[in-house]
């Protein structure tokens, strides 16, 4: 198959209702691009007939396609990774199949990437046409994510993005489980640009982005990209240690003043307080070493080279000067 210039990766799970409209809009996009488009559909163990529907529709699509099916549901990030592994384009976009993010965004994504001024383009939500509770919960989730994991991530998170082949290569090199693909996208760096859009109301089916999945996603990101749990543990231990010193002074003064008459109370309290918070500090220190060992198991590169220019020497030799 001849490699395409542009590739769009679409993970599919329970999206049978939106597939006809999705393929039609991708067809319109293909006509507006200045070069060939390839769409890689990855059906991630979908419980509906999404795969059969795509088998029927995509042979008539005005763009090249690849259709892959997972043996079971592995999750959207695994589906995206599968799609990126098989995409042949110089520029690769990733979008959901539910049409809540306008597919037409990829046209602007590809335009900016083709200019060579950026390596990654992400969609930044200006607003979202969702129920109030959905908007509030999403805002709270991404606020925590930005504060604890990646402060430079857009306020509404990232649901649609595109990148060039260099970024795809670096992401695929990081073979991590229980991690965040979007987190890896921000971890690898490169030049980024944001394109604003309005998130649409979901017209077909129900979102599988449940509270449990959000919680797991947040925890995976925290443990994969930060040492916040260890820092909290260490901080509690240190603060508790200071509190222990103050409490020990208060108990000792009370004992010397005769305010404590219960035999063994003073040493018991001191031992309990001191040992408890000393244990927290010790766990924090040991955890820091474990964290470093865990970081090394990820085998992430110490640095990523974005550009590499080599200039040959233009020194004039004696022979050349005499000539």
């Amino acid at each position: 198959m001849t490699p395409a210039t542009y590739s769009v990766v679409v993970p599919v799970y329970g999206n049978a209702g939106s597939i006809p409209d999705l393929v039609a809009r991708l067809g319109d996009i293909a006509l507006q691009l200045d070069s060939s488009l390839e769409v890689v559909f990855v059906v991630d163990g979908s419980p509906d007939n999404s795969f059969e529907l795509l088998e029927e529709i995509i042979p008539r699509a005005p763009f090249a396609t690849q259709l892959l099916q997972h043996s079971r549901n592995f999750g959207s990030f695994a589906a995206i990774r599968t799609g990126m592994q098989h995409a042949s384009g110089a520029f690769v976009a990733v979008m959901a199949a539910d049409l809540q993010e306008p597919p037409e965004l990829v046209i602007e994504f590809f335009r900016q990437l083709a200019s060579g001024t950026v390596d990654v383009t992400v969609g930044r939500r200006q607003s979202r046409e969702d129920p109030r509770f959905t908007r509030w919960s999403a805002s709270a989730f991404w606020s925590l994510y930005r504060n604890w994991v990646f402060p430079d991530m857009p306020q509404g998170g990232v649901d649609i993005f595109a990148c060039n082949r260099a970024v795809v290569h670096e992401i695929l090199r990081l073979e991590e489980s229980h991690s965040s693909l979007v987190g890896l996208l921000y971890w690898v760096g490169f030049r980024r640009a944001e394109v604003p859009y309005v998130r649409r109301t979901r017209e077909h089916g129900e979102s599988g982005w449940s509270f449990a999945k959000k919680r797991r996603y947040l925890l995976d990101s925290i443990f994969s990209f930060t040492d916040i749990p260890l820092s909290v543990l260490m901080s509690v231990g240190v603060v508790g240690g200071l509190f222990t010193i103050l409490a020990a002074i208060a108990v000792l003064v009370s004992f010397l003043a005769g305010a404590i008459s219960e035999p063994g109370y003073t040493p018991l309290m001191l031992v309990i307080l001191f040992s408890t918070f000393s244990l927290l500090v010790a766990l924090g220190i040991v955890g820091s070493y474990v964290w470093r060992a865990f970081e090394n198991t990820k085998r992430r590169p110490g640095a990523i080279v974005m550009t590499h220019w080599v200039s040959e020497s233009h020194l004039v030799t004696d022979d050349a000067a005499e000539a």
Side-chain angles (χ1 to χ4, degrees):
M1 185 177 66
T2 303
T5 302
Y6 306 113
S7 294
V8 177
V9 174
V10 184
V12 179
Y13 181 83
N15 300 117
S18 60
I19 283 176
D21 291 339
L22 172 64
V23 174
R25 292 175 69 172
L26 288 171
D28 293 337
I29 291 171
L31 298 176
Q32 298 178 55
L33 295 174
D34 58 2
S35 189
S36 56
L37 172 68
E38 165 200 62
V39 181
V40 182
F41 295 98
V42 183
V43 181
D44 185 38
S46 183
D48 59 11
N49 64 331
S50 294
F51 182 80
E52 291 75 17
L53 192 59
L54 284 167
E55 275 189 314
E56 178 184 348
I57 293 177
I58 60 176
R60 301 189 298 271
F63 48 79
T65 58
Q66 295 188 53
L67 177 58
L68 300 99
Q69 185 177 29
H70 280 169
S71 59
R72 63 173 178 83
N73 178 242
F74 289 92
S76 61
F77 291 146
I80 292 171
R81 189 178 186 86
T82 296
M84 295 176 78
Q85 289 172 337
H86 288 82
S88 63
F91 307 107
V92 180
V94 175
M95 59 171 290
D98 56 17
L99 295 177
Q100 288 193 266
E101 283 71 40
E104 291 73 20
L105 274 176
V106 302
I107 299 175
E108 179 60 20
F109 286 175
F110 289 146
R111 186 191 68 79
Q112 293 195 23
L113 291 173
S115 71
T117 58
V118 296
D119 305 294
V120 180
T121 51
V122 299
R124 173 173 52 82
R125 297 179 195 160
Q126 287 184 314
S127 61
R128 50 190 300 159
E129 299 174 357
D130 287 327
R132 181 173 299 179
F133 177 77
T134 302
R135 294 198 305 268
W136 176 84
S137 61
S139 176
F141 173 82
W142 287 113
S143 177
L144 291 174
Y145 197 94
R146 294 178 73 243
N147 289 330
W148 292 352
V149 187
F150 287 107
D152 53 347
M153 184 169 288
Q155 291 186 352
V158 175
D159 289 314
I160 182 171
F161 68 89
C163 55
N164 58 24
R165 178 53 57 179
V167 178
V168 171
H169 172 72
E170 295 299 338
I171 290 177
L172 293 180
R173 280 209 305 160
L174 304 173
E175 298 181 356
E176 301 179 15
S177 59
H178 301 290
S179 185
S180 162
L181 188 140
V182 174
L184 293 176
L185 180 68
Y186 274 76
W187 184 86
V188 297
F190 289 89
R191 299 167 297 173
R192 286 190 298 270
E194 298 179 358
V195 178
Y197 73 98
V198 176
R199 182 177 169 89
R200 306 299 183 187
T201 303
R202 190 183 184 99
E203 296 182 0
H204 305 281
E206 296 182 357
S207 174
W209 190 231
S210 62
F211 174 80
K213 289 185 177 181
K214 289 180 181 178
R215 174 180 170 275
R216 180 176 179 180
Y217 176 66
L218 181 61
L219 291 177
D220 283 346
S221 298
I222 289 174
F223 286 112
S224 293
F225 300 103
T226 76
D227 61 351
I228 287 178
L230 292 177
S231 298
V232 171
L233 184 64
M234 185 81 78
S235 299
V236 170
V238 172
V239 172
L242 297 176
F243 171 76
T244 299
I245 295 174
L246 296 177
I249 294 173
V251 171
L252 185 60
V253 170
S254 299
F255 174 74
L256 295 176
I260 299 177
S261 58
E262 188 70 28
Y265 175 82
T266 301
L268 180 61
M269 285 297 298
L270 295 179
V271 168
I272 290 176
L273 290 172
F274 182 77
S275 61
T276 299
F277 293 108
S278 296
L279 182 60
L280 289 178
V281 173
L283 286 174
I285 294 173
V286 173
S288 296
Y289 286 101
V290 174
W291 164 261
R292 283 157 178 75
F294 170 60
E295 284 291 289
N296 290 331
T297 63
K298 298 176 184 176
R299 304 194 64 80
R300 292 178 185 170
I304 295 174
V305 176
M306 185 172 69
T307 56
H308 180 193
W309 292 91
V310 178
S311 177
E312 296 183 359
S313 174
H314 293 286
L315 294 176
V316 179
T317 63
D318 293 339
D319 293 339
E322 292 176 358

